Amino acid sequence: PKEWYGYYAGTMTLQKALERSANTIPCWLLKDIGIDNSYKFLTEKLGMKHLTEVDKNLASLALGGCQYGITTTESAAAYSIFGNGGKYFEPVTFYKVERATGEVVLECDKVGNQVIKPATASIMNMLLQNVVYGSQGTGKGIASYNKMKAYAKTGTSSESNDLWMVA
């Protein structure tokens, strides 16, 4: 893969790679983890329903160039494990939560599935905060809009045709 910023920056830490949204580092990590292991985790543990056998490659799984894509809901649910102590919760949409009187109409009482260790989730949460607060963070534009700590991951497709952020 090529870097969106136009040059290969050389060796860097995972923290800096996430902050800068480097493309080469995730491919190296996926190669070490294994494409089949990653695919299985994404489909079986994180509910990615649109991935197919065609997506079992470095570009698709490491960088998001999947045949049918991943929905924004799937992406948000997957990244939420880092703020939920490693637990995955199947996404739920609520249109009405309570009556004008304050009576609760809908309440999410689901129990999440532990898909990664809480310590791993905590480390990833801290690493992804650098995307927002780091000096080269690709998502630092949202820092001034948030009163809570935020963690995020950004992405850009070839020639900046698609720009996205999960935060």
Side-chain angles (χ1 to χ4, degrees):
K2 295 179 182 176
E3 300 297 358
W4 66 270
Y5 38 84
Y7 60 93
Y8 179 66
T11 303
M12 66 176 70
T13 64
L14 176 60
Q15 178 178 338
K16 191 54 75 174
L18 282 166
E19 182 179 325
R20 294 186 71 186
S21 195
N23 291 327
T24 54
I25 306 304
C27 289
W28 281 106
L29 288 172
L30 179 58
K31 191 174 177 184
D32 285 347
I33 292 167
I35 290 172
D36 288 332
N37 289 335
S38 179
Y39 182 86
K40 185 175 180 179
F41 181 79
L42 291 169
T43 56
E44 294 179 14
K45 301 289 187 184
L46 299 184
M48 303 281 176
K49 295 177 177 59
H50 298 92
L51 295 178
T52 68
E53 292 289 319
V54 174
D55 297 319
K56 285 187 173 183
N57 63 73
L58 290 175
S60 294
L61 295 182
L63 302 175
C66 304
Q67 182 176 14
Y68 297 112
I70 295 171
T71 68
T72 53
T73 302
E74 288 173 334
S75 188
Y79 276 93
S80 74
I81 68 175
F82 304 128
N84 290 332
K87 290 185 179 179
Y88 170 80
F89 292 86
E90 185 176 341
V92 177
T93 302
F94 293 109
Y95 293 100
K96 300 279 182 180
V97 176
E98 64 184 27
R99 299 186 195 288
T101 61
E103 177 190 356
V104 175
V105 177
L106 294 173
E107 187 171 12
C108 185
D109 59 358
K110 290 186 173 191
V111 177
N113 297 319
Q114 195 75 44
V115 295
I116 61 174
K117 294 177 184 175
T120 303
S122 180
I123 291 167
M124 282 302 300
N125 189 313
M126 289 187 299
L127 288 170
L128 290 168
Q129 285 183 34
N130 288 311
V131 174
V132 178
Y133 305 107
S135 63
Q136 295 180 308
T138 53
K140 63 184 174 182
I142 69 164
S144 62
Y145 295 104
N146 244 337
K147 296 196 185 217
M148 308 183 321
K149 279 286 185 188
Y151 62 94
K153 179 65 187 91
T154 62
T156 305
S157 67
S158 298
E159 300 175 21
S160 296
N161 289 325
D162 298 303
L163 307 165
W164 62 267
M165 177 189 290
V166 177

